[in-house]
Amino acid sequence: MKKNPRKRQIVEAAARTIAEKGYESSSIKEIAAEAGLPAPGLIHYYFKTKEEILREVVKQSRERYEKEFGDTMPGRSSELFGAEEGAPRKTSDEHGPEWYKLRYEFFAQGLRDTALANDVSQLLEVGRGGIAGVLDSALLGLGDQERESLSAILLACFDGLALQKLLYPELDLEKTYALLETMILDRFPAAE
C-alpha cells in the first residue's frame, strides 16, 4: 500500500517541528506551516489530534530504524561499530542531532502517555534487536541472555552519548566508541 504523500509531508513536518521546539511547544498551526499547508485545519483530515500525529511520527521512526538495521550486513567487519580498517567509524551520531532530539521527545512523552509508551518500547526493541544482530555478526560467542543484556546496555550508551554530544559538542565520539568497543572485545573476545 502506497502512503499518502500529504500525510507523509505532515508527519515529516511534525518530526522537524517537534525536534526543534519539543512536543508540548509544537502546535498544529506550526506543523501545518512547516508542512506548507494552506490552512492548519487540513491536518485534521489526516489526523484527529496532535497525539495521533506523534504516534505516527514514532511509528515511521521505528520503520526507518527497522530498515536501517535490516540493511546491516552481518559478518562484514571485525569491528563492532562498523569501521573497516582505515575507514571512518560508523557512529550513532550519523543520524544527526535532530534525530536524537526527536528520540528524547519520544522518551519523555512515552513516560507520560501509556498508549505512546508501547510505541516507544517497540522503537527501543528494534534498536536492541539491531544491536544484537551486530553482536552476533561479530562472533563474540554470547549466550542469549548476555546478548540481550549487552544490547540493552549498548543502546543506553549510544542514546546517552548522543545526549552528551548534543549538550557538549566537544565530546569526541569516535574515541569514546573506540574505547567502548575495546572494553567489549576485552570482555567478550571474538571467536576464531
Side-chain angles (χ1 to χ4, degrees):
M1 179 172 82
K2 192 167 185 161
K3 292 186 179 183
N4 182 305
R6 179 64 62 123
K7 187 174 184 178
R8 186 180 66 242
Q9 179 183 1
I10 292 168
V11 171
E12 289 171 358
R16 289 189 302 273
T17 303
I18 293 167
E20 178 186 333
K21 300 182 125 220
Y23 175 74
E24 295 296 329
S25 297
S26 297
S27 69
I28 294 287
K29 185 176 180 179
E30 290 167 323
I31 294 169
E34 179 69 24
L37 299 179
L42 287 175
I43 282 183
H44 295 296
Y45 178 76
Y46 300 96
F47 300 100
K48 294 177 185 170
T49 64
K50 189 169 82 167
E51 292 80 14
E52 194 176 301
I53 297 171
L54 180 62
R55 290 197 69 193
E56 185 64 24
V57 172
V58 173
K59 177 183 171 215
Q60 288 190 18
S61 294
R62 185 189 73 241
E63 289 170 358
R64 174 184 165 197
Y65 218 27
E66 287 171 338
K67 182 181 179 336
E68 288 175 9
F69 277 121
D71 291 343
T72 302
M73 295 173 59
R76 248 184 94 238
S77 171
S78 62
E79 299 250 5
L80 285 178
F81 304 137
E84 297 290 342
E85 193 70 33
R89 182 177 305 278
K90 186 174 182 174
T91 59
S92 66
D93 65 326
E94 286 181 353
H95 288 288
E98 299 309 310
W99 164 251
Y100 283 98
K101 289 178 183 178
L102 187 58
R103 279 178 67 87
Y104 302 134
E105 284 296 320
F106 296 162
F107 299 159
Q109 294 308 311
L111 291 172
R112 295 182 188 102
D113 178 339
T114 55
L116 186 62
N118 185 53
D119 297 332
V120 175
S121 177
Q122 290 176 15
L123 178 71
L124 293 170
E125 184 178 334
V126 169
R128 288 190 308 273
I131 292 169
V134 171
L135 293 173
D136 280 345
S137 71
L139 302 173
L140 298 180
L142 299 172
D144 290 345
Q145 186 61 44
E146 283 180 320
R147 185 179 56 254
E148 185 178 318
S149 296
L150 185 55
S151 296
I153 290 166
L154 288 173
L155 183 59
C157 285
F158 297 149
D159 282 333
L161 288 169
L163 177 61
Q164 289 185 57
K165 181 70 172 177
L166 285 172
L167 298 173
Y168 179 64
E170 295 79 20
L171 177 65
D172 186 337
L173 281 180
E174 187 166 328
K175 286 183 181 177
T176 305
Y177 286 127
L179 176 59
L180 182 58
E181 184 173 13
T182 299
M183 292 167 54
I184 292 167
L185 291 175
D186 284 350
R187 173 61 178 91
F188 303 101
E192 294 298 321

